[in-house]
Amino acid sequence: MKYNIKITKTQNSHLSDVDFNNIPFGRVFSDHMFVAEYRNGEWEDLRIEPFGRFGIHPAAMALHYGQAIFEGMKASKSFDGKPLFFRPEMHAKRFNNSARRMCMPDVPESLFLEGLHRLVDLDSDWIPPQEGSALYIRPYMFANDEFIGVKPSENYRFIIFTGPVGPYYPKPVSLIAEQEYVRCAVNGGTGEAKVAGNYAASLLPARKANAKGYDQVMWLDANEFKYVQEVGTMNIFFVIDGTVVTPSLNGGILPGITRDSILTIFREKGYPVEERNISVDELIEAHAAGKLQEAFGTGTAAVVAHVSKIAVGDKVMELPPVEQRKLGEMAKKEIDGRRSGKIEDTHGWIVRVKHFETVNV
Ligand code: COI
């Protein structure tokens, strides 16, 4: 192994407290975390330590100026019990793309991956075996200079922690097109980076959407409020008259790894697929003509989440029942099947978690 990672194991595992048949998303955390400090232009003090709180200076720059990025990824167990990652290199690359956009240092891909393998190997008993569940992995980095003033920080902390999760959306989601607010996700903005502030800017519109009875906001382009972009937590797909359609990556939306995987699978199976602009008017017309057959969101957390209805202003479009959603269901089965090893990994997306015999305590 390339890096010297100091490993301190917990003396107080709480694995036995967890009910794997009933895991709320994002509230249960595994025993350990990987931590690295960026100081004087180097990543140092690499360690795995018991998961827990840490102190932070009140002037830590991330808290004021928002230099904070993250990834969301998953590990699962194959049907015969082997721990697996899904496309970990792609997550490492996207993380560094986000870092560059926010003027933060790269985490070398080899360091990102070694920390990931060591951590998930150590906590592999935390990977839930149940279908539809997984170990959610949260790598993140934040600016740690103790300084008041707007400039890039010189010190950063990189952390990976994990936690077992069940489905993010246990039932189909309802969406409302946002016709008032925009996020930082405009052309030239930060939409294609996984930046904490993008999510912060989505909270008020999301709360307003909830108050109107909708689960999520469907974002439109920030210039004309005409073209669909994505959902707050997922990329979006439609099936219009038999064709799979999703907004093209235009710099304003997140280049989803689940999105990319599903596009690849559909194309490989010979379905007509289009990445292009989709206007809300097109959706309304297709719905009126009975041609809007499916809508679903895709993301690491959500995997594939069916959309039950979409509101655009006063117009509410109910979508066909889930039992009729052939392509969304197929996408979900394909992703889950590859993650469990039941469907052959034809693209080298599945990576076995490396096993380490000895750890330096
Ligand atoms: C993910 O899909 O992993 C995300 O980071 C989105 C968040 C809603 C959990």
Side-chain angles (χ1 to χ4, degrees):
M1 287 284 107
K2 188 166 165 194
Y3 296 96
N4 182 17
I5 300 175
K6 179 169 182 265
I7 296 178
T8 309
K9 283 189 181 176
T10 183
Q11 300 300 310
N12 188 19
S13 171
H14 55 285
L15 180 59
S16 58
D17 302 341
V18 179
D19 174 5
F20 275 170
N21 291 310
N22 182 20
I23 327 171
F25 197 103
R27 295 201 182 275
V28 181
F29 304 103
S30 317
D31 280 333
H32 298 92
M33 58 187 183
F34 173 79
V35 187
E37 310 287 349
Y38 189 81
R39 300 181 191 120
N40 302 314
E42 304 276 342
W43 285 105
E44 56 179 42
D45 199 4
L46 315 177
R47 59 200 194 268
I48 289 179
E49 58 189 32
F51 179 84
R53 293 189 174 85
F54 51 79
I56 186 163
H57 193 277
M61 287 182 77
L63 300 179
H64 304 264
Y65 310 113
Q67 262 187 308
I69 59 168
F70 69 96
E71 267 302 308
M73 46 193 299
K74 276 180 175 166
S76 49
K77 279 213 172 119
S78 63
F79 66 94
D80 52 355
K82 297 186 183 76
L84 310 170
F85 293 121
F86 188 72
R87 309 191 75 178
E89 292 90 1
M90 202 160 171
H91 283 282
K93 286 192 172 64
R94 190 172 68 176
F95 189 75
N96 283 328
N97 287 338
S98 302
R100 284 170 211 148
R101 179 62 182 86
M102 297 301 279
C103 220
M104 299 165 93
D106 276 28
V107 174
E109 209 172 301
S110 54
L111 173 59
F112 185 105
L113 294 173
E114 192 172 325
L116 190 67
H117 277 276
R118 284 207 170 257
L119 179 70
V120 175
D121 177 47
L122 190 61
D123 280 340
S124 61
D125 289 344
W126 285 84
I127 305 175
Q130 284 80 354
E131 211 169 307
S133 299
L135 188 74
Y136 188 80
I137 304 168
R138 172 50 59 87
Y140 69 109
M141 187 198 330
F142 62 89
N144 210 11
D145 269 16
E146 299 160 5
F147 177 72
I148 297 295
V150 180
K151 70 169 188 68
S153 180
E154 282 161 26
N155 294 279
Y156 295 86
R157 185 169 292 172
F158 170 60
I159 298 185
I160 310 176
F161 67 80
T162 72
V165 293
Y168 193 77
Y169 292 117
K171 59 181 188 49
V173 292
S174 54
L175 306 180
I176 181 163
E178 178 55 58
Q179 296 180 305
E180 181 184 359
Y181 293 98
V182 302
R183 305 163 295 164
C184 330
V186 295
N187 288 352
T190 54
E192 63 184 348
K194 214 158 163 59
V195 168
N198 287 350
Y199 295 80
S202 73
L203 296 178
L204 177 64
R207 179 182 279 173
K208 291 188 167 186
N210 295 156
K212 289 181 190 154
Y214 290 87
D215 297 313
Q216 282 283 321
V217 165
M218 184 173 81
W219 294 99
L220 304 181
D221 76 281
N223 300 322
E224 299 177 81
F225 290 96
K226 184 171 173 189
Y227 297 104
V228 177
Q229 291 203 311
E230 62 185 338
V231 178
T233 49
M234 312 180 276
N235 294 116
I236 183 101
F237 283 73
F238 303 98
V239 181
I240 302 177
D241 201 15
T243 298
V244 179
V245 194
T246 192
S248 40
L249 298 178
N250 55 9
I253 68 174
L254 191 76
I257 292 166
T258 312
R259 173 190 182 279
D260 178 81
S261 310
I262 287 174
L263 284 172
T264 305
I265 291 168
F266 280 139
R267 288 193 172 115
E268 176 177 88
K269 288 185 176 293
Y271 288 96
V273 173
E274 293 174 5
E275 289 178 80
R276 61 170 172 81
N277 284 343
I278 306 157
S279 69
V280 281
D281 290 344
E282 177 182 351
L283 293 182
I284 291 170
E285 276 167 32
H287 182 261
K291 292 181 178 171
L292 183 56
Q293 294 151 325
E294 301 189 33
F296 53 90
T298 66
T300 296
V303 190
V304 174
H306 294 294
V307 173
S308 54
K309 63 179 175 181
I310 305 173
V312 180
D314 293 335
K315 171 91 195 148
V316 179
M317 297 177 277
E318 298 281 349
L319 291 166
V322 166
E323 303 74 59
Q324 296 174 19
R325 314 282 188 98
K326 197 172 135 236
L327 294 183
E329 274 303 291
M330 189 195 80
K332 186 167 158 32
K333 285 203 180 89
E334 286 283 335
I335 297 289
D336 285 344
R338 284 160 206 252
R339 278 209 178 112
S340 67
K342 287 185 185 157
I343 296 181
E344 191 192 349
D345 171 27
T346 43
H347 295 280
W349 291 342
I350 302 299
V351 174
R352 274 281 296 276
V353 177
K354 289 182 193 148
H355 182 57
F356 302 88
E357 283 306 333
T358 49
V359 290
N360 45 322
V361 179

